[in-house]
Amino acid sequence: MDFFNTHSIFFTVLGYPMSYLEFFAVVTGVLSVILSAKASIWSWPVGIVNVFLSAFFYYQIQLYPDMFLMAFFFVTNILGWWRWANPKPEEEDKRKELKVSFMPRKQFYTWLLIGIAGTILIGALASQLHNWFPMLFNLPSAYPFVDSFILVMSVITTFLMIQKRIECWIIWLMIDIVATYLYFLKGAMFFGVEYIVFTIIAAFALWNWMKEYKSYSKTI
């Protein structure tokens, strides 16, 4: 049995052949997001396992931008883990700890515009990978622009989440809805179900972080 091959079937559910790789990539992904929604530091190490498994899966179904995104997530999960585990000296004081916060509205819209521009650029590059590197990418990228939107916006949102910006969950909602559509379209059904769950979790997380933000005024 090749655990990292999408053709190695773990079980079949409702006629859908579930590979070991897809199953465990989805399970660790859901767990990581649940922990993130609760602002738990354990979201980062679980996330490292998830991105490692997901990278193998995305490569085999020709979602190359998503595969490259996993390399970025590997690095940011390590950075996020370290950032949350090692607060700055002034943050040791509960009154000065890293707290959830809003960013200036103009800054939020600027990031969205950067995301759109990045999607167009990365999508154009991804659509040519099979021509430029045929030995590595023997098949064309599937839905390169939709996939690139997920990549670019996820990069932006991850940095916002590390800094505990509330807007990160608004963007995650956008990403999760687009990703749900893409994975069902590509036939990765369990990943599609995962992102339906992610959409629900992101909505809860947005509510939870806003609730925490409002609680600060009551402790002053």
Side-chain angles (χ1 to χ4, degrees):
M1 180 196 75
D2 183 356
F3 179 88
F4 295 100
N5 192 314
T6 56
H7 296 296
S8 294
I9 306 305
F10 188 17
F11 59 86
T12 300
V13 55
L14 299 177
Y16 180 72
M18 181 74 64
S19 68
Y20 288 89
L21 183 59
E22 183 175 5
F23 178 80
F24 286 103
V26 167
V27 168
T28 53
V30 170
L31 180 58
S32 175
V33 171
I34 290 173
L35 293 170
S36 293
K38 295 182 177 181
S40 169
I41 193 172
W42 287 102
S43 65
W44 302 110
V46 174
I48 290 173
V49 176
N50 169 252
V51 300
F52 181 75
L53 297 177
S54 297
F56 282 92
F57 183 80
Y58 290 137
Y59 176 76
Q60 293 177 66
I61 63 171
Q62 295 86 54
L63 293 180
Y64 303 136
D66 262 345
M67 181 192 69
F68 293 129
L69 177 61
M70 295 304 102
F72 167 79
F73 277 166
F74 178 78
V75 174
T76 54
N77 271 280
I78 293 176
L79 293 176
W81 191 2
W82 182 89
R83 177 70 177 88
W84 287 21
N86 298 275
K88 296 176 181 179
E90 63 271 18
E91 293 171 353
E92 296 285 357
D93 185 338
K94 287 294 182 180
R95 294 170 297 177
K96 299 179 181 180
E97 67 180 348
L98 181 64
K99 297 181 178 180
V100 300
S101 61
F102 286 99
M103 70 174 71
R105 183 171 297 181
K106 184 177 180 180
Q107 185 180 0
F108 176 68
Y109 290 135
T110 298
W111 279 118
L112 286 181
L113 289 175
I114 291 173
I116 293 171
T119 295
I120 295 172
L121 175 61
I122 301 300
L125 295 175
S127 65
Q128 296 301 316
L129 285 175
H130 66 292
N131 292 322
W132 295 337
F133 308 102
M135 296 297 291
L136 292 175
F137 306 98
N138 59 333
L139 293 172
S141 176
Y143 311 104
F145 290 96
V146 177
D147 202 15
S148 294
F149 171 82
I150 296 172
L151 184 158
V152 173
M153 297 309 294
S154 294
V155 168
I156 292 172
T157 308
T158 299
F159 282 117
L160 298 181
M161 188 167 72
I162 290 174
Q163 295 303 319
K164 291 191 175 182
R165 293 293 194 178
I166 293 173
E167 288 86 353
C168 75
W169 292 111
I170 297 174
I171 303 177
W172 276 129
L173 277 169
M174 296 167 54
I175 294 169
D176 292 342
I177 291 170
V178 172
T180 298
Y181 167 76
L182 175 61
Y183 296 140
F184 276 116
L185 194 64
K186 197 66 181 67
M189 301 302 181
F190 200 36
F191 265 80
V193 172
E194 176 189 31
Y195 273 79
I196 291 176
V197 175
F198 282 178
T199 302
I200 296 171
I201 292 173
F204 164 76
L206 177 60
W207 172 82
N208 190 47
W209 282 33
M210 289 182 67
K211 180 181 177 182
E212 181 175 338
Y213 176 78
K214 292 177 181 178
S215 72
Y216 298 153
S217 61
K218 298 178 182 179
T219 59
I220 296 176

